[in-house]
Amino acid sequence: MDSRPNLDDLFDRRVIYPDFDPQERLARLVGLDDQKARLAKILGLLVNPAGLRNWASSHHPDAANLLDTVLRRPPLVVLAGDVGSGKTELAETIGDAVARQERIDITLLPLSLSTRGQGRVGEMTQLISSAFDYTLQEAEKLSSNDGRARGAVILLVDEADALAQSRETNQMHHEDRAGVNAFIRGIDQIANAKVPAAIIMCTNRLSSLDPAVRRRAADVLAFSRPNDAQRHYVLATNLEPLGFSEQHMTDLVDATGAESRTESYGFTFSDLTQRLIPNLVLDAYPSGPIEPSRAIEIARAMTPTPPFQDTNSNAS
């Protein structure tokens, strides 16, 4: 009898890029242009190193050591930062940009949090190991002899600190420790195989990740709450077509920022797009238009999502 976990136990779903829906969702992620561009470039190098080799042959033909240094990095990128800052949405949609950039199909495999299992001995380790094994098997099918990937696989690990918490934590259960070991082995397994695959990890608590996992990251992209210019862009894109003046926008930006609030922290991206703007619509619908003065009043009355408090005392 085959006791191995099935795909439904391992992954929330399976997403194939390019596709119009993630392309549109990625375009709506305003204020994250730097993170978008950098992540697409990093993933492109990790899953399709032939592009980097072509670049080197044109511009630095004698840079064999340079290429080796860059390409030896483990295929892991960590997205770390505040809640509601767009990490998960970017991780779930960036594959479309990479697919179009590299002109290959990319499969996203979002790891299910059920991989923590039910606490039975060995279960968490088996689930994590199986997820990495499946990712590797899928990526091996897409390798080619000339180094040009025929496709790629991205394994997405959201809330990564739930699966790869530091083993230095005193209260860590043996099963959790074994799961982290399996996670590290999985990263190394994919790195050593040199297949067109990459791993994206998202976390609100970078310091809670195991140091061995952090050391393996090819890059760590930081995410924070939107600044004045970013909040202005989000709000103006939605509200200026409704007749909001520049002064109205200035007042709204001020109302959603940390400086004018008793909480000492401002709105997150998701506070703006998933809470404030829909609330403005619901407040006005169906009897009349959205009034700028009322919008400012609503923004001042809303409480932003509190920052995530990382209480890990063993952070290194």
Side-chain angles (χ1 to χ4, degrees), residues 160-167 169 172 176 180 205 208-210:
D161 41 275
L163 291 173
Q165 184 180 5
S166 175
R167 291 166 295 178
T169 304
M172 193 174 208
D176 291 331
V180 176
R205 304 185 299 167
S208 294
L209 290 183
D210 191 89

Side-chain angles (χ1 to χ4, degrees), residues 30-98:
V30 297
L32 296 177
D33 290 346
D34 290 344
Q35 289 95 332
K36 287 182 188 179
R38 186 170 181 84
L39 184 56
K41 190 177 293 188
I42 293 167
L43 291 174
L45 296 181
L46 291 176
V47 304
N48 191 23
L52 183 65
R53 295 190 181 96
N54 292 337
W55 167 83
S57 65
S58 297
H59 301 284
H60 303 288
D62 298 322
N65 290 337
L66 175 69
L67 277 186
D68 184 63
T69 298
V70 173
L71 295 177
R72 283 173 63 87
R73 295 182 302 169
L76 169 65
V77 183
V78 177
L79 311 187
D82 208 349
V83 295
S85 56
K87 302 183 302 296
T88 300
E89 183 70 359
L90 178 58
E92 290 182 348
T93 57
I94 194 64
D96 182 81
V98 179

Side-chain angles (χ1 to χ4, degrees), residues 231 250-258 260-261 267 295-296 299-300 302:
R231 294 198 310 281
T250 299
D251 291 343
L252 266 176
V253 168
D254 180 68
T256 54
S260 64
R261 307 194 61 88
F267 282 43
I296 295 166
R300 287 175 175 158
M302 280 183 60

Side-chain angles (χ1 to χ4, degrees), residues 12-32:
D12 287 331
R13 60 196 181 283
R14 196 182 164 103
V15 182
I16 308 295
Y17 311 107
D19 184 72
F20 289 118
D21 177 64
Q23 184 184 34
E24 292 175 355
R25 287 167 56 194
L26 183 62
R28 290 196 296 268
L29 272 178
V30 297
L32 296 177

Side-chain angles (χ1 to χ4, degrees), residues 244-265:
F244 279 54
S245 69
E246 188 56 39
Q247 185 59 54
H248 293 142
M249 299 313 309
T250 299
D251 291 343
L252 266 176
V253 168
D254 180 68
T256 54
E259 293 77 9
S260 64
R261 307 194 61 88
T262 58
E263 299 92 355
S264 75
Y265 49 85

